[in-house]
């Protein structure tokens, strides 16, 4: 095709001349991998009672089926992002897929609790390699502004709805096969994704001459693991337990040392200009706060639907479908269409207000609440709000980043999501447990009414914790409004200016 003559305009709808014609099929491969990683954080939740009975886990140890995954995932994401930059994103992507599939097969064949815990930790390790390479491949594959919005809309919908999809798939597999298939199901997905990656994805070679920041890995990952582990142990042990306090203090010290070292490291694990830039920092913090409330809601609604309303695992999973659909609609049909024309915070702030409003509706739950009239409207509100939030967060946080920092920036977004979810589950579960216990102690006057009062206390604990989650989401909206200051694109411009790099 000849170049346009002087005075001729080039259609803004046309993709760049060097765009890969198979890039949308490549998006399918990236989306498959992202969906596998995200849903695996929740797919075993519904299957956990069956796995506990089958492997003779104690009540104190069963939490490690969830925590081993989230700890490894959240703690090693920054390292995974830097490996993607050094080795090459496609190569790291394929390695992560193969390792994740192997760890899943190992867990599905577990003969004891230790084997399952180890497999879940290995899944987290390879997820930490896979997730940032997937997002950075998306960032470098779609550079046209209009296509980028659509691609990130799909990606954001998967990031937000993958957890809910995990509940649905977990319920189906547990009820009609057995809990082991909640792990085995990753193997065929990974095989398809690996074949697709070799056929469809392209990437520049990694930076072979660069080095890994080993002290940064130890300090940063160690600090994150200590803090996430502290929150996970706060529920069974209590907030004032010496081990919990030691973990929090140690985590803060390690992270402070990490920040200090990043200013002096020859090749820093996390270049501080990435988080120093106001818009990116606002996106990271908004994501972490938003997911605190969302993951807590998944936990409480799962137990509420099964233990209080008496739903089966499949029916419980299906009850999350409207939430999933609302996230997809909010991300792909609303946020992706509006982001090229409005400032990101014009989506983030209303999104968080809507999500918080949905959670506030759920604070009115009782032991006799009706799903169609009381639960469903709240889930729809929250889903649309989260959809409006995820897409602009992913797009804004990764826009305009230097190619050599794409992996670590993507990893920081995923770290915010995973660590926020881990903290939210532990924090809100502790609030729910303590509030429920206090309710039972204050209202149990007749021993014959113990069962009813106990159930009312459980629901009361859920509503108190959900109220706290709503407040945290409103805080996320405030953070987005104050920190994400990227302006609306000028009329007629093809896209907003990329998020600028701050001066190093």
């Amino acid at each position: 095709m000849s170049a346009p003559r002087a005075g001729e305009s080039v259609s803004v709808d046309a993709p760049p001349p060097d765009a890969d014609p198979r890039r949308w099929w490549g998006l399918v491969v990236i989306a498959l991998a992202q969906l596998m990683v995200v849903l695996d954080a929740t797919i075993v939740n519904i299957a956990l009672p069956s796995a506990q009975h089958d492997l003779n886990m104690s009540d104190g140890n069963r939490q490690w089926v969830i925590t081993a995954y989230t700890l490894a995932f959240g703690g090693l994401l920054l390292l995974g992002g830097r490996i993607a930059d050094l080795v090459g994103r496609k190569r790291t992507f394929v390695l992560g897929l193969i390792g994740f599939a192997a760890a899943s097969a190992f867990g599905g064949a577990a003969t004891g609790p230790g084997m399952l815990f180890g497999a879940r930790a290995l899944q987290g390790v390879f997820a930490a390699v896979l997730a940032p390479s997937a997002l950075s491949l998306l960032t470098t594959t779609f550079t046209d502004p209009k296509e980028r919005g659509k691609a990130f809309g799909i990606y954001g919908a998967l990031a937000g709805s993958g957890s809910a999809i995990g509940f649905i798939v977990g319920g189906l597999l547990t009820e009609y096969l057995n809990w082991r298939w909640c792990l085995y199901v990753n193997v065929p997905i990974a095989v398809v994704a690996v074949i697709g990656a070799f056929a469809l994805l392209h990437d520049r070679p990694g930076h072979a001459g660069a080095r890994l920041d080993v002290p940064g890995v130890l300090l940063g990952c160690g600090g994150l693991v200590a803090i996430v582990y502290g929150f996970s142990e706060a529920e069974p042990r209590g907030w004032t337990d010496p081990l919990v306090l030691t973990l929090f203090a140690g985590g803060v010290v390690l992270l402070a040392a990490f920040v200090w070292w990043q200013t002096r490291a020859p090749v820093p694990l996390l270049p501080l200009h990435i988080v120093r830039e106001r818009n990116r920092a606002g996106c990271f913090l908004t994501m972490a706060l938003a997911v605190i409330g969302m993951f807590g809601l998944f936990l409480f609604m799962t137990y509420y639907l099964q233990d209080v309303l008496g739903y089966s695992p499949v029916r419980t999973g299906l009850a999350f479908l409207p939430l999933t659909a609302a996230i997809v609609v909010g991300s792909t049909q609303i946020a992706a269409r509006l982001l090229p024309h409005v400032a990101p915070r014009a989506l983030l702030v209303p999104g968080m207000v809507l999500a918080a409003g949905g959670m506030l509706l759920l604070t009115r739950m009782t032991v006799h609440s009706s799903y169609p009239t009381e639960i469903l409207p709240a889930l729809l509100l929250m889903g649309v709000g989260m959809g409006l939030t995820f897409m602009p967060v992913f797009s804004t946080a990764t826009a305009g980043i230097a190619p050599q920092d794409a992996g670590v920036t993507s990893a920081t977004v995923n770290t915010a999501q995973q660590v926020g979810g881990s903290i939210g589950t532990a924090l809100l579960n502790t609030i729910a447990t303590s509030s429920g216990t206090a309710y039972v102690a204050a209202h149990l006057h007749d021993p014959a009414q113990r069962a009813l009062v106990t159930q009312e206390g459980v629901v009361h604990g859920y509503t108190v914790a959900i109220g706290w989650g709503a407040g945290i989401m409103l805080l996320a909206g405030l953070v987005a409004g104050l920190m994400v200051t990227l302006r609306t694109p000028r009329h007629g411009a093809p896209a907003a200016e990329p998020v600028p790099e701050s001066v190093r």
Side-chain angles (χ1 to χ4, degrees), residues 83-412:
I83 290 175
D85 287 333
L86 299 182
V87 178
R89 300 172 190 93
K90 178 178 175 179
R91 187 180 301 174
T92 308
F93 183 79
V94 171
L95 175 64
L97 283 170
I98 294 173
F100 198 92
S104 299
F106 183 64
T111 57
M115 186 174 174
L116 181 58
F117 301 157
R120 290 288 286 167
L122 278 175
Q123 280 186 309
V125 169
F126 285 106
V129 172
L130 179 59
S133 59
L135 183 53
S136 55
L137 279 170
L138 182 66
T139 301
T140 55
T141 299
F142 292 92
T143 55
D144 178 73
K146 191 171 183 179
E147 291 189 348
R148 180 183 175 90
K150 293 178 182 178
F152 271 95
I154 295 170
Y155 187 90
L158 289 173
S161 63
S163 298
I165 294 172
F167 286 114
I168 299 170
V169 175
L172 289 169
L173 293 175
T174 301
E175 189 158 333
Y176 294 110
L177 294 173
N178 61 57
W179 66 268
R180 296 180 185 274
W181 280 97
C182 292
L183 296 164
Y184 286 143
V185 70
N186 293 318
V187 177
I189 296 175
V191 169
V192 172
V194 167
I195 295 173
F198 279 118
L200 299 168
L201 298 180
H202 305 283
D203 188 34
R204 301 169 185 169
H207 303 278
R211 295 175 299 167
L212 282 177
D213 175 18
V214 177
V217 170
L218 297 176
L219 292 171
C221 295
L224 285 174
V225 168
I227 289 177
V228 174
Y229 184 30
F231 275 107
S232 71
E233 288 295 303
E235 191 275 323
R237 295 175 178 270
W239 293 102
T240 59
D241 182 82
L243 175 61
V244 173
L245 295 176
T246 300
L247 286 168
F248 285 152
V252 170
V253 169
L254 286 173
L255 289 179
F258 170 77
V259 172
W260 171 83
W261 172 249
Q262 294 308 286
T263 64
R264 291 159 175 78
V267 185
L269 178 67
L270 176 61
L272 292 183
H273 66 270
I274 291 175
V275 294
R276 192 182 295 127
E277 201 282 316
R278 180 173 182 152
N279 291 282
R280 284 197 195 93
C283 286
F284 297 150
L285 189 53
T286 299
M287 172 63 83
L289 293 172
V291 174
I292 285 177
M294 189 179 76
F295 270 57
L297 179 74
F298 284 154
L299 176 69
F300 301 137
M301 291 309 300
T302 299
Y303 280 99
Y304 175 78
L305 292 171
Q306 291 194 63
D307 295 345
V308 178
L309 298 187
Y311 282 21
S312 67
V314 170
R315 192 179 179 188
T316 299
L318 293 175
F320 282 101
L321 267 180
L323 173 65
T324 304
I327 292 176
V328 172
V329 170
S331 184
T332 62
Q333 301 304 309
I334 302 177
R337 294 175 184 270
L338 291 179
L339 188 59
H341 309 289
V342 302
R345 63 179 171 184
L347 297 173
L348 294 172
V349 176
M352 285 292 88
V353 171
L354 281 176
M359 294 194 74
L360 286 174
L361 287 179
L362 291 175
T363 61
R364 303 171 62 185
M365 286 191 314
T366 68
V367 294
H368 304 297
S369 289
S370 167
Y371 177 84
T373 60
E374 299 176 70
I375 307 301
L376 179 59
L379 294 181
L380 291 174
L381 268 180
M382 184 176 178
V384 172
M386 296 306 295
L388 289 176
T389 302
F390 280 121
M391 187 269 169
V393 162
F394 279 118
S395 182
T396 305
T398 57
I401 197 70
Q404 66 269 20
D405 291 328
V408 73
T409 304
S410 304
T412 307

Side-chain angles (χ1 to χ4, degrees), residues 10-154:
V10 179
S11 170
V12 296
D13 294 333
D18 59 345
D20 186 349
R22 299 180 298 172
R23 61 194 176 280
W24 291 105
W25 285 109
L27 174 61
V28 173
V29 173
I30 296 171
L32 270 178
Q34 173 66 13
L35 179 62
M36 182 177 66
V37 168
V38 175
L39 69 81
D40 221 75
T42 56
I43 192 172
V44 299
N45 280 1
I46 293 179
L48 186 53
S50 298
Q52 180 182 359
H53 180 267
D54 194 18
L55 299 180
N56 296 315
M57 294 182 214
S58 68
D59 289 344
N61 287 335
R62 65 186 179 186
Q63 64 165 324
W64 286 104
V65 176
I66 307 299
T67 308
Y69 181 82
T70 57
L71 279 176
F73 192 6
L76 295 173
L77 267 168
L78 285 174
L79 174 61
R82 184 51 75 192
I83 290 175
D85 287 333
L86 299 182
V87 178
R89 300 172 190 93
K90 178 178 175 179
R91 187 180 301 174
T92 308
F93 183 79
V94 171
L95 175 64
L97 283 170
I98 294 173
F100 198 92
S104 299
F106 183 64
T111 57
M115 186 174 174
L116 181 58
F117 301 157
R120 290 288 286 167
L122 278 175
Q123 280 186 309
V125 169
F126 285 106
V129 172
L130 179 59
S133 59
L135 183 53
S136 55
L137 279 170
L138 182 66
T139 301
T140 55
T141 299
F142 292 92
T143 55
D144 178 73
K146 191 171 183 179
E147 291 189 348
R148 180 183 175 90
K150 293 178 182 178
F152 271 95
I154 295 170

